[in-house]
Amino acid sequence: LPGGPMNIPILRLAIRSLFGRARAILLFAIPLLLVALAVLLRATAGDAGTNPEDAPLVLVRTFGIGIVVPVVALIATTTLINSEFDDGSIIYLLTKPVSRLSIVASKALVVLVCTLVFAALPMTLAALLMIGTDADLWLGALLGGIVSSVAYAGIFTTLATLLNRSLVGCLIYWLVWESTLTSFISPAAWLSARAWGSSVLHAVADVGQKAHPPVWFALVAAALCLVGGVVVAGRKLSHTTISDV
């Protein structure tokens, strides 16, 4: 296993681990549900079309960015990091002469790609199915989904590595902070992966919604979450010994 920022053998092991567990079924079921809801909304709207500020926007923003993206990222992260600590398979990697940062970066990359494929792209398809290219909702959904995916990949990678009960910690973060507090406390949106994605969605799509926080902040914050999360998680893993597993 050679060292480097990204390790091909680790990437292959991560992909095999991700799709070799029963929970991988959810990775296909969740985006299918999103697309099915989009088809249902399109069918009920008829040929008259639907205002993108109503149901289509709500589905993409609330269900897509608010639920599908974090759930897919959570499934991928806990499968690749939390489960490997639980069943002891992480020991295999810890005994190899490979950079701990490379291990984390490779797994974070798989989490990110998985979230883009099973969340951001289905959101784009859902928007196209509902209103086509009107109001550029599809583009806003794609870019907003990418930004949220980047942020959640970094955040969940960090939590899954730092916390002993990482699944519980990630769920608490998502349900308490992202889904609850940031909805009622406006300043908290500056520190919300969901709000960052929604900001990009509102800025790109012509839906008459204000981008908050600013798009530049959302882009920088999401990138910092991913890069900073990988670095912090890598440092944590570098101090982890086989006896700690």
Side-chain angles (χ1 to χ4, degrees), residues 27 68-78 111 115 119 148-149 152-153 156:
L27 293 177
V68 175
V69 172
V71 169
V72 170
L74 179 61
I75 292 172
T77 306
T78 54
V111 171
T115 310
S148 285
S149 297
Y152 277 117
F156 286 156

Side-chain angles (χ1 to χ4, degrees), residues 15-31 75-76 79 114 118:
I15 295 173
R16 188 183 309 166
S17 174
L18 181 62
F19 293 102
R21 299 175 184 269
R23 70 184 68 177
I25 297 175
L26 292 174
L27 293 177
F28 293 91
I30 293 173
I75 292 172
T79 298
C114 177
F118 292 99

